[in-house]
């Protein structure tokens, strides 16, 4: 992980920055998948959300990048899908973010695919406050 002011950020902190970025652009169906107890998992958390249009998908992913950078000075290690804007992936190493257009999310059904994960739905009332 990169360091800001000699402080390392935990996966939980990055996860919360991501959720805050999603909430800023009114992402729908935000889900946190804890993969720590899943054998052969590629990261600690998946954070998923849906948007209603390619414009909103793009705005959500941009908001996530801005929130994470503002809080931690970290850019995604890798990103995909910005051109087609149906499924944008932002990889923060310990936290992998999936921003879906609703129909793509239903088609790929990551919640079912990673069914051994502990899944937490973030209600609109579960606002993640800035730290």
């Amino acid at each position: 992980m990169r360091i800001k002011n000699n402080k390392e950020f935990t996966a939980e902190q990055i996860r919360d920055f991501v959720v805050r970025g999603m909430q800023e652009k009114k992402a729908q169906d935000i889900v946190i998948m804890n993969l720590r107890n899943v054998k052969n998992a590629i990261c600690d958390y998946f954070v998923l959300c849906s948007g209603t249009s390619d414009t909103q998908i793009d705005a959500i992913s941009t908001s996530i990048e801005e929130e994470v950078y503002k809080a931690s000075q970290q850019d995604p290690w890798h990103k995909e899908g910005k051109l087609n804007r149906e499924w944008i992936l932002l990889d923060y190493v310990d936290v992998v973010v999936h921003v879906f257009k609703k129909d793509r999310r239903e088609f790929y059904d990551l919640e079912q695919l990673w069914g051994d994960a502990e899944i937490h739905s973030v209600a609109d009332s579960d606002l993640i406050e800035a730290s």
Side-chain angles (χ1 to χ4, degrees), residues 6-60:
N6 296 325
K7 180 180 178 192
E8 233 179 272
F9 291 87
T10 66
E12 290 79 9
Q13 289 172 307
I14 299 298
R15 175 201 67 201
D16 290 348
F17 303 151
V18 165
V19 170
R20 195 165 60 235
M22 291 174 170
Q23 291 173 327
E24 282 291 317
K25 296 300 177 185
K26 308 221 182 313
Q28 300 172 350
D29 303 319
I30 300 172
V31 170
I32 297 168
M33 299 176 67
N34 183 340
L35 301 170
R36 287 184 166 162
N37 295 321
V38 177
K39 187 176 181 178
N40 298 324
I42 57 173
C43 62
D44 290 344
Y45 294 98
F46 277 172
V47 184
L48 291 72
C49 73
S50 300
T52 57
S53 68
D54 58 354
T55 304
Q56 186 186 24
I57 301 298
D58 191 45
I60 292 167

